[in-house]
Amino acid sequence: MELCSFLTLDSFITDPLTHDFMRKALLMSSLVAAVCGFLSSYLTLKGWALMGDAVSHSVMPGVVVAYALGLPFSLGAFIFGVGSVALIGFIKQKSRVKEDTVIGLVFTGFFALGIVLVSKIKSNIDLHSILFGSPLGISLSDVKQTIFISLLVVILLSIFRKDLMLYCFDPRHAKTVGINVFFLHYLLLTCLSLAAVVGLQSVGIILVVAMLITPGATAYLLTDKFDNMTVISVLSAIISSLIGIYVSFWFDLETGGSIVLAQTFIFLFAFLFAPRYGIFKLKKLFAGYK
Amino acid sequence: METINYQNFRIEAENICVDYNGKVALYDANLRLKPGQICGLVGMNGAGKTTFFNALTGFVNISKGKIRINGESVRSAQKDQTIAYVPQNEGIDSQFPISVWDVVMMGRYGSMNIFRSPRESDVQAVKDAIERVDLTDHLSTPIGNLSGGQRKRTFLARAIAQRASILLLDEPFSGVDIRTEKLISELFIEFKNEGKTILLSTHDMIHVREFCDLVLLINKTVVAYGETSEVFTPENITTTFGGISPDFLFGPES
C-alpha cells in the first residue's frame, strides 16, 4: 500500500483518476447508484424490499443463459427477473402458501438454478464477478449497455414519477380515477429488473439488493417530502459509491462490499442523528444553543 | 355546470357477484341510487362492504351481474372522474412522505396530462377543496403529523377536488374528533343539495338514522334494502349481524 500518497487529500482523490479503469469504475458506479437510488424510494414506500431481493437473485440464471447463447446479458436477466415475479404471483394465487414464503422459495430456486448452470456450462463466465461485481474490470460494451439501460430507467421513472408515487400510496384511488394500475405495477417491476442488471456489475447479485433498499431507507429517515426523498436517496447512493471505490482502491478491499458498507454507514448516521426521526434528533441538540 | 336529472339512476348494480379465487365475497347484490341520495352500507366485518366498494370503483372485477354508473360502464366512469373513494384511516400508510396539498392534488390526477403538471384550474380546485374541509393552515403538513380527523378531512378534500358526483366513504366517522364529525355531517348536507350521491359504510347505527335516506344491509348478499325508516328494523339488523340482538348493538337505551 502506498501510504505516502495519503499525505495530501488532493492526491488521495486525484491519484486514482490517473487510471483508466478507475475513471470508468467511478463513472459507472455513480450511474448505477443514481438509478438504484431513484428506484429505491419507490421500493421502500411500496414495501417491496423483499421483492427487490427476489428479482435481483432471480436474474442469475438469465445472465448465465444469455452469456451461453451470446445474447446481451441484460436481456436474459430481464426475462428471468420479470418471470420470477410472474411465477411468485401465480403460485401465491393458486396455493395457500403465504406471499413471503413464496417469494423466498422462488428466488432461491432461480438463484440455485443459476449456480448449477454456471458449473455446467463451460464458458468464460466468472462466477465471482457475477456474485460480487467487478466495477474495476468493466468492458466497453458493458459501459455502453449500462449507460443505455440507466438512461432508459431514469427516463421512465421521471415520466411516471407522480403516477408511481400515487400507485405506491393509494392504488385504489389511482384505479378509481382511471389510471392504469396494471401498467404501473409492471413498469415498476421492469425498472426493478433493469436496475438489478446494471447494479449487478458494480456490486454483484448478492449485494445489489442493498443498492435498492438502503438509500431509500436512509432518505425516508431524513425527510417528509417525497421529492426530497428521491433526491437524498440518489445522492446518498452516489456518495457511497464514490467512497466505496476510493476506499477499496487505497486499502485494497473488495469494491462491491465497500460500496454497500459505505451505504450502511450513511444509513446508521441517519438512524442515529436524523433531525426528526433519528434516535438523538439533531434538531433538539441544536435547539439548545439557540 | 351540467344539469342533474334527478330521475336517472347514478348507480345501478344488478345481481353482482365477486369472488376471490373461487371464494365468494359477495353474490346477487343489487343497488340503485339516484342523485342527492345518501345510502348507508351496513354489515359485519367480512360481510362484503369493502368488496362492494371495490366492485363499484372497478378495483376488483365482478364475476357476474352488471354495474352501470350514470348509465355507462365502470371503465368510462373512471375516465370521467365520476366516482371518488374516501378510504378508511387504517387503509392508508400515514407515514408516507406526502403533504396535505399533494394528497388533495391527487384528486386532480385523472384529468391532468401524463406528467400530472397542475394547471391553474387544478391549483384552484385544490385550494377550494382544502378550504371546505378547514385545513388551510395545514397545506404543507405531512399527513403523518395530522390527527385522525384531519387526515380524514384531507381525503374528503381529495374527493371534493376530484369533482366526483358519486362519493364512496369507508367508515367516514371512525376515529375522528367531534369537530371533524360535525364538519363531515355539514358537508353531507351540502353534497346532498349539490345532487351528489353518497354511499357510506358504517358500524355506527346512530349515524345511519341521522344521515341516511336509504340503507343497504348486507351479509355476503343483500339482507334488506330500502328507506331507512322502513328497512332499518331490529329484525333486519339481527339477521345482518348473524343473530346478535339489536339491544347489544344499540345499547340499552334503544
Side-chain angles (χ1 to χ4, degrees), chain A residues 108-147:
Chain A
T108 47
F110 272 66
F111 191 53
L113 176 66
I115 292 176
V116 170
L117 283 177
V118 169
S119 70
K120 200 63 203 166
I121 296 170
K122 294 283 172 260
S123 69
N124 56 353
I125 301 171
D126 178 11
L127 181 62
H128 188 268
S129 83
I130 294 180
L131 293 182
F132 300 107
S134 56
L136 305 185
I138 297 176
S139 72
L140 190 63
S141 72
D142 289 345
V143 170
K144 284 183 188 159
Q145 199 174 297
T146 304
I147 292 176

Side-chain angles (χ1 to χ4, degrees), chain A residues 45 93 159-160 162-163 165-166 169-173 175-179 220 224-226 229 276, chain B residues 21 50 54 57-59 78-79 81 83 85 95-98 106 109-110 116 142-143 145 155 158 162:
Chain A
L45 293 172
Q93 203 172 44
I159 293 176
F160 295 103
K162 290 186 175 176
D163 280 21
M165 174 178 76
L166 171 57
F169 178 59
D170 192 351
R172 195 193 304 255
H173 173 71
K175 181 84 186 172
T176 307
V177 297
I179 289 170
Y220 187 53
D224 276 320
K225 286 200 180 110
F226 184 79
M229 182 169 162
R276 280 184 63 90
Chain B
N21 303 318
T50 304
N54 286 344
T57 59
F59 197 65
Q78 292 174 345
K79 288 264 172 261
Q81 313 297 308
I83 302 181
Y85 181 81
Q95 291 303 308
F96 203 94
I98 192 171
M106 282 175 169
Y109 275 20
R116 314 297 173 203
I143 57 164
N145 296 357
F155 284 89
R158 183 176 74 178
Q162 192 187 321

Side-chain angles (χ1 to χ4, degrees), chain B residues 2 12 25 52 56 66 81 85 104 107 126 130 135 147 155 158 160 162 167 177 180 193 197 228 234 248 250 252 254:
Chain B
E2 58 179 319
E12 287 171 282
F52 209 125
L56 292 175
K66 204 171 88 175
Q81 313 297 308
Y85 181 81
V104 179
V126 170
I130 292 176
L135 281 176
S147 70
F155 284 89
R158 183 176 74 178
I160 295 170
Q162 192 187 321
L167 300 176
D177 48 289
T180 299
N193 292 336
T197 302
T228 306
F248 177 75
F250 285 117
S254 37

Side-chain angles (χ1 to χ4, degrees), chain A residues 29 63 109-110 238 251:
Chain A
S29 299
V63 172
F110 272 66
I238 292 176
F251 298 96

Side-chain angles (χ1 to χ4, degrees), chain B:
Chain B
M1 202 81 199
E2 58 179 319
T3 49
I4 298 164
N5 184 338
Y6 283 85
Q7 291 317 304
N8 290 351
F9 287 108
R10 272 267 165 69
I11 300 176
E12 287 171 282
E14 261 175 59
N15 298 316
I16 59 167
C17 299
V18 177
D19 58 280
Y20 301 107
N21 303 318
K23 219 173 151 193
V24 175
L26 190 68
Y27 64 94
D28 293 334
N30 291 283
L31 175 68
R32 285 175 148 201
L33 290 177
K34 288 179 180 175
Q37 288 185 323
I38 300 182
C39 177
L41 182 57
V42 178
M44 290 186 290
N45 286 332
K49 288 178 289 182
T50 304
T51 301
F52 209 125
F53 284 142
N54 286 344
L56 292 175
T57 59
F59 197 65
V60 299
N61 292 322
I62 51 173
S63 51
K64 248 192 272 174
K66 204 171 88 175
I67 296 176
R68 295 269 127 191
I69 306 291
N70 285 334
E72 293 187 58
S73 68
V74 171
R75 185 87 200 94
S76 59
Q78 292 174 345
K79 288 264 172 261
D80 297 341
Q81 313 297 308
T82 310
I83 302 181
Y85 181 81
V86 180
Q88 252 179 297
N89 271 352
E90 293 74 25
I92 51 150
D93 174 11
S94 64
Q95 291 303 308
F96 203 94
I98 192 171
S99 66
V100 169
W101 179 270
D102 290 334
V103 171
V104 179
M105 188 56 88
M106 282 175 169
R108 305 296 309 158
Y109 275 20
S111 44
M112 286 180 185
N113 65 16
I114 191 172
F115 299 106
R116 314 297 173 203
S117 36
R119 293 153 295 188
E120 212 171 300
S121 58
D122 297 316
V123 171
Q124 197 55 49
V126 170
K127 262 188 202 160
D128 292 346
I130 292 176
E131 205 178 311
R132 272 184 87 176
V133 299
D134 204 9
L135 281 176
T136 309
D137 295 340
H138 294 278
L139 290 184
S140 53
T141 309
I143 57 164
N145 296 357
L146 298 174
S147 70
Q150 289 169 328
R151 212 172 294 143
K152 183 66 84 184
R153 272 144 59 193
T154 305
F155 284 89
L156 260 175
R158 183 176 74 178
I160 295 170
Q162 192 187 321
R163 306 227 167 95
S165 53
I166 298 172
L167 300 176
L168 307 181
L169 303 105
D170 205 348
E171 298 287 346
F173 297 105
S174 78
V176 303
D177 48 289
I178 304 278
R179 183 167 163 231
T180 299
E181 189 172 325
K182 189 162 168 286
L183 194 134
I184 292 178
S185 43
E186 283 165 6
L187 277 173
F188 277 179
I189 294 163
E190 293 174 27
F191 291 157
K192 195 178 160 67
N193 292 336
E194 292 165 17
K196 291 188 195 297
T197 302
I198 299 176
L199 182 64
L200 63 99
S201 73
T202 181
H203 275 98
D204 194 322
M205 304 300 153
I206 296 160
H207 287 132
V208 175
R209 290 245 159 79
E210 211 172 321
F211 303 109
C212 302
D213 314 310
L214 298 158
V215 65
L216 179 69
L217 295 162
I218 64 168
N219 188 4
K220 304 267 184 199
T221 188
V222 176
V223 175
Y225 172 58
E227 302 267 332
T228 306
S229 53
E230 291 169 22
V231 173
F232 210 51
T233 59
E235 295 74 37
N236 281 338
I237 294 165
T238 307
T239 318
T240 309
F241 286 86
I244 300 168
S245 87
D247 288 349
F248 177 75
L249 294 163
F250 285 117
E253 76 269 26
S254 37

